[in-house]
């Protein structure tokens, strides 16, 4: 059943779940980040907030539009979370009872759907190819008053089903809806805060040469850098090499900014470096850089 469940979630999410991730008054879900028990999750496009259940961890895999919760207590359990536009729960219940065709050979069907207020829930079964009969699944949809709903699909073993479905239901029941927000994820983005105490690093290798660049940007406005070059890469900005230090500032507007480096070494001209954030990735020009915690800043 795991393969069947994964398939339907991916198909549905492709057209109903399209949030923008980044900075906001609340912290939006960020791709690739691991969320632990009781961490708050926020999907602004649906105005939905909730917490990771106790005993669970969650992540939004990169290149995916479905948030995944997995059990952290050793037993098998997966909860898939996605959003959709508001719907009539009674009509949705009838559709679930009739069964939803995912492919020509796969159908999901609700066993006994129940509606309580703005919440629809039911155990579901899958008929078709690649269905593992030892698994059990639970589906639920909760709608707010702002034109959006959140649907979960939970999968567990016979032994873990009650715990898994209970955690999924708790996740929805504790969730709240607010007015959806469609602002840019980089609205009022604070580049100074983002870069402070960060290590920017890249490694560029071509036939006949390589270059490794590391820049520690400290919160107090100083930086230290180490640029190693070999082969034909020695001719790329040849004056900027080995260990360097100085001061830095940044000016940004939305996803684009300019990092200004002023060097302590006499005769070394200042640099204005164009920065861009693209889908949570940091670029200098067209070159991908990785940002992590600085290693050369005093605390």
């Amino acid at each position: 059943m795991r393969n069947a469940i994964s398939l339907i979630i991916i198909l549905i999410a492709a057209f109903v779940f399209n949030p923008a991730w980044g900075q906001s008054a609340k912290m939006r879900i960020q791709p690739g980040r691991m969320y632990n028990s009781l961490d708050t999750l926020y999907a602004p496009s649906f105005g939905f907030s909730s917490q990771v259940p106790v005993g669970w961890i969650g992540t939004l895999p990169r290149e995916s539009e479905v948030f995944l919760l997995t059990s952290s207590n050793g037993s098998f359990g997966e909860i898939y979370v996605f959003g959709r536009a508001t719907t009539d729960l009674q009509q949705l219940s009838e559709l679930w009872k009739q069964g939803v065709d995912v492919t020509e050979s796969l159908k999901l069907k609700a066993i006994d759907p129940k509606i309580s207020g703005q919440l629809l829930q039911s155990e579901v079964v899958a008929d078709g190819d690649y269905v593992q009969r030892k698994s059990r699944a639970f589906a639920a949809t909760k709608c707010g008053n702002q034109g959006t709903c959140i649907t979960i699909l939970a999968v567990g073993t016979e032994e873990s089903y009650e715990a898994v479905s209970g955690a999924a239901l708790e996740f929805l029941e504790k969730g709240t809806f607010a007015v959806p927000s469609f602002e840019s994820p980089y609205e009022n983005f604070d580049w100074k805060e983002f870069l402070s105490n960060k290590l920017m690093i890249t490694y560029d290798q071509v036939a006949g040469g390589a270059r490794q660049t590391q820049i520690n940007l400290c919160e107090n406005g100083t930086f230290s850098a180490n640029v190693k070059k070999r082969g034909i890469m020695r001719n790329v900005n040849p004056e900027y090499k080995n260990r360097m230090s100085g001061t830095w500032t940044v000016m940004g507007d939305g996803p684009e900014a300019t990092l200004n480096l002023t060097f302590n070494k006499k005769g070394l001209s200042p640099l204005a470096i164009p920065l861009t954030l693209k889908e949570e990735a940091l670029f200098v020009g067209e070159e991908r850089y990785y940002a992590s915690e600085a290693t050369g800043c005093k605390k």
Side-chain angles (χ1 to χ4, degrees), residues 24-229:
S24 184
K26 295 180 182 179
M27 183 60 70
R28 303 167 185 240
I29 302 172
Q30 298 175 345
R33 174 182 168 184
M34 188 64 67
Y35 291 85
N36 299 311
S37 296
L38 300 181
D39 282 352
T40 297
L41 306 174
Y42 173 51
S45 294
F46 298 97
F48 182 77
S49 297
S50 191
Q51 285 185 323
V52 176
V54 174
W56 290 75
I57 56 176
T59 187
L60 178 70
R62 294 190 181 276
E63 310 302 329
S64 173
E65 296 174 330
V66 182
F67 193 85
L68 174 63
L69 294 162
T70 55
S71 175
S72 59
N73 61 13
S75 62
F76 170 68
E78 293 181 339
I79 301 173
Y80 301 85
V81 184
F82 56 95
R84 58 169 297 159
T86 191
T87 186
D88 184 288
L89 293 184
Q90 188 61 52
Q91 293 180 4
L92 184 61
S93 174
E94 293 300 318
L95 179 62
W96 283 12
K97 286 191 290 186
Q98 296 170 17
V100 179
D101 290 320
V102 181
T103 68
E104 293 182 356
S105 58
L106 177 63
K107 174 180 285 188
L108 290 180
K109 187 175 182 179
I111 295 177
D112 184 24
K114 293 182 173 60
I115 299 176
S116 176
Q118 292 291 83
L119 180 67
L120 167 65
Q121 59 178 298
S122 177
E123 182 174 357
V124 295
V125 294
D127 290 320
D129 298 339
Y130 308 111
V131 176
Q132 299 179 13
R133 299 294 177 182
K134 293 183 180 180
S135 297
R136 293 178 66 182
F138 172 82
T141 294
K142 180 180 180 180
C143 296
N145 297 318
Q146 306 293 339
T148 60
C149 302
I150 296 294
T151 294
I152 56 93
L153 194 51
V155 185
T157 62
E158 185 69 38
E159 295 76 18
S160 67
Y161 174 78
E162 293 299 329
V164 172
S165 59
L169 195 56
E170 175 188 346
F171 176 81
L172 279 186
E173 290 177 335
K174 289 186 175 181
T176 60
F177 288 89
V179 177
S181 172
F182 300 97
E183 70 180 27
S184 165
Y186 305 109
E187 188 79 20
N188 301 317
F189 190 85
D190 191 333
W191 278 94
K192 178 65 164 58
E193 179 182 3
F194 173 71
L195 291 176
S196 291
N197 291 329
K198 287 293 197 308
L199 169 65
M200 291 175 53
I201 185 170
T202 189
Y203 184 76
D204 188 18
Q205 185 172 18
V206 296
R211 173 174 57 88
Q212 178 177 307
T213 302
Q214 296 184 14
I215 307 174
N216 280 287
L217 300 170
C218 301
E219 187 175 14
N220 64 4
T222 64
F223 78 88
S224 60
N226 190 11
V227 180
K228 299 178 181 178
K229 304 177 184 180

Side-chain angles (χ1 to χ4, degrees), residues 230-243:
R230 61 180 176 84
I232 62 174
M233 281 293 189
R234 293 180 184 275
N235 299 320
V236 178
N237 293 327
E239 64 272 32
Y240 300 98
K241 60 183 179 181
N242 302 325
R243 297 189 180 277

